[in-house]
Amino acid sequence: MEQQFTVELTMNKKHHREFGYLHIKRRKSWIIRLVLIILLMLLLICTALFTAHINKFLLFSTVLYYFYWLFADLYYGSLSYHNANKKAHNIPVRLTFTEDYFISESDISSGTSRYDGFLDVMEGPNIFALYVSRASAVVVPKDCFTEGTVDDFREFLTRKIGPVRRVQPSGKQRIWGIVLGVAFVLAMVGSLFLNKAWNSRLVRYDRTPYHICLPAYFEVYEDENYHFTAYSDDVTVYTYSESQKDLHSYGIYNIETLEDYVDNFVYDYSIVDYTTTTLENGTICLTYTEEYNDFSYFYCDAITKSGDTFWITEFYCAGSEKDEYEPQFLKWAKTIEIAE
C-alpha cells in the first residue's frame, strides 16, 4: 500500500527559529568558529596582560564574531523565515509526499521533485528539515499534517532519503556562550590590572654612587650630559650633580649646606610660586609649574647632598597631570640614595 502525507504549510516564525538551531548543529563549522573565538579572546587577553594595550580592530572583530556565533541560530532562523515568506508571498503552501515524488503547490505555483534530490534529514521537537543543499531545506512542521502521522512520516523519510538525525534544542549552548563572554570580559579587566600592577612595581636603578627606584614601565637611556635618564609615556626623569669644585668654577663660593644650594638653585632658575618639601631621606623637593611655548609643565626637583657634591633629580610631566604625578614624584624621590 502506497503511503501519502500531506502538509498544509503556513509561515510560522517559531518553526523557522527551530530550523536555525538545527542548521547550526548540522554544520560542524560552528565548532571551528568557537575555537577561533576562543583563540582570538586568548590573544587579546595575552596582549592586555603583557603590553596593557588593546588592538581596537581585533577587539571589535572578536566581539562581532562572538555575537554572530552566539545568536547564529536566530540569524539563520530569521533568514529562513524571510526567504520562505518571500517565496510563498504569504500564500499557504501544500506539501504532498507520495511514494515517488515530493510535490509543492500553492495558488500561484507548483513543483515536483524526486527524493534523490534531498541530501539528508534533521528532526527537532516541532519540525523536520529536509535539506536540498548545504544551506537550504524544506521545513515541514509536525503540527501541520492533514494526512499521515509524524511517526509514519519519520519512517517514510528514513526509507526514502536516509536516517533522520534527531536533535533536541537546548539553551545550554547560549548559556555557556554567555559564560564564555563574561569570563572573557573578566579576564581582560584582570589582565589590564595585573599588567598595571606588575609594571607599577618599583625597580632599583644603580648608577654608582647614585641609586633610585622607579616603576618598571620606565625606559632608561644613556645621555652623556646626565648621570641618569629615564622616561615613560607621561614623565621624564634626569639626574646630574654639581660639586663644590664645579660651583667654584662658576664663581660661587658661599654654598655650604643643602639649604644654601636650594636657595641658590631657586635664584639661578628664577623659580617662583614653588613648594618646598623635606623628605625622610634628607632630600629637599621643589615643586612648581612653569610654561614654555604656551604649554604648562609640572616639575619636581629633588636635591640631596653627599660629601661636597649636590645631586639634582628632576621629574617633570604635563601641567594637566600635576595632581596625578605630584605624590608619585615625592614617593620616588624618597628612594634616592647616594653612596658615600
Side-chain angles (χ1 to χ4, degrees):
M1 179 179 178
E2 289 190 359
Q3 286 184 301
Q4 180 169 306
F5 302 88
T6 304
V7 178
E8 297 291 340
L9 188 63
T10 56
M11 296 299 106
N12 187 311
K13 287 185 178 181
K14 182 184 73 172
H15 295 150
H16 286 273
R17 196 176 299 126
E18 185 174 311
F19 167 71
Y21 183 86
L22 298 182
H23 186 64
I24 63 170
K25 285 300 182 181
R26 179 176 182 267
R27 300 176 64 181
K28 299 300 182 183
S29 58
W30 75 273
I31 300 177
I32 298 174
R33 289 195 182 101
L34 175 59
V35 172
L36 180 59
I37 289 170
I38 293 174
L39 290 176
L40 288 172
M41 287 180 171
L42 289 175
L43 178 60
L44 281 165
I45 292 169
C46 291
T47 302
L49 180 61
F50 294 108
T51 69
H53 294 292
I54 299 175
N55 185 305
K56 293 181 180 179
F57 175 77
L58 183 60
L59 177 62
F60 175 78
S61 300
T62 302
V63 172
L64 191 65
Y65 205 50
Y66 164 76
F67 279 107
Y68 169 73
W69 171 83
L70 185 62
F71 297 105
D73 59 329
L74 299 182
Y75 168 75
Y76 284 118
S78 176
L79 185 64
S80 171
Y81 177 79
H82 173 77
N83 290 338
N85 203 34
K86 183 178 179 181
K87 185 177 181 180
H89 301 284
N90 267 331
I91 299 174
V93 177
R94 178 184 298 105
L95 305 179
T96 303
F97 299 85
T98 68
E99 281 293 329
D100 298 316
Y101 298 101
F102 158 67
I103 304 168
S104 172
E105 54 187 342
S106 69
D107 292 342
I108 61 174
S109 66
S110 64
T112 302
S113 303
R114 295 181 63 88
Y115 293 107
D116 56 10
F118 292 101
L119 302 179
D120 56 14
V121 183
M122 295 191 70
E123 179 186 357
N126 302 296
I127 66 168
F128 292 95
L130 285 60
Y131 276 87
V132 295
S133 70
R134 180 173 176 272
S136 61
V138 176
V139 176
V140 181
K142 294 181 179 180
D143 57 2
C144 293
F145 280 88
T146 58
E147 184 178 359
T149 66
V150 170
D151 291 336
D152 289 342
F153 186 62
R154 184 184 303 111
E155 294 178 2
F156 176 81
L157 292 177
T158 301
R159 181 162 51 86
K160 292 295 183 179
I161 302 174
V164 176
R165 181 184 171 191
R166 306 179 74 172
V167 177
Q168 182 66 38
S170 168
K172 289 183 179 179
Q173 178 178 326
R174 188 141 26 239
I175 292 173
W176 282 110
I178 294 172
V179 170
L180 174 64
V182 172
F184 168 67
V185 172
L186 293 177
M188 284 288 291
V189 173
S191 297
L192 290 172
F193 274 108
L194 284 173
N195 179 276
K196 184 176 181 180
W198 176 254
N199 286 316
S200 296
R201 76 192 192 283
L202 293 181
V203 176
R204 180 181 172 93
Y205 296 96
D206 297 315
R207 295 294 184 273
T208 306
Y210 177 85
H211 309 280
I212 189 173
C213 293
L214 293 173
Y217 57 74
F218 270 87
E219 296 285 342
V220 176
Y221 65 99
E222 300 299 326
D223 188 324
E224 61 182 12
N225 297 314
Y226 299 101
H227 195 76
F228 174 78
T229 49
Y231 69 94
S232 68
D233 291 341
D234 303 319
V235 176
T236 299
V237 182
Y238 64 86
T239 301
Y240 64 94
S241 62
E242 290 184 325
S243 64
Q244 287 288 0
K245 183 179 179 180
D246 295 327
L247 295 174
H248 292 166
S249 69
Y250 306 147
I252 302 174
Y253 296 93
N254 59 342
I255 305 297
E256 296 296 335
T257 66
L258 179 58
E259 288 74 12
D260 292 337
Y261 185 86
V262 171
D263 291 339
N264 185 76
F265 185 90
V266 170
Y267 175 79
D268 280 350
Y269 289 97
S270 302
I271 301 173
V272 295
D273 295 328
Y274 63 89
T275 300
T276 302
T277 304
T278 302
L279 305 179
E280 299 167 0
N281 59 351
T283 299
I284 297 178
C285 292
L286 301 173
T287 52
Y288 55 94
T289 301
E290 290 192 355
E291 289 192 4
Y292 293 100
N293 298 323
D294 297 325
F295 193 83
S296 175
Y297 293 91
F298 174 68
Y299 293 88
C300 175
D301 294 326
I303 306 172
T304 191
K305 183 176 184 292
S306 177
D308 66 347
T309 302
F310 299 94
W311 293 82
I312 303 89
T313 301
E314 183 166 87
F315 308 88
Y316 71 89
C317 65
S320 59
E321 297 176 327
K322 171 183 179 295
D323 292 340
E324 177 182 355
Y325 282 108
E326 182 175 12
Q328 297 190 57
F329 289 168
L330 296 176
K331 174 184 176 182
W332 302 338
K334 288 179 182 180
T335 68
I336 295 173
E337 298 177 11
I338 311 298
E340 296 291 344

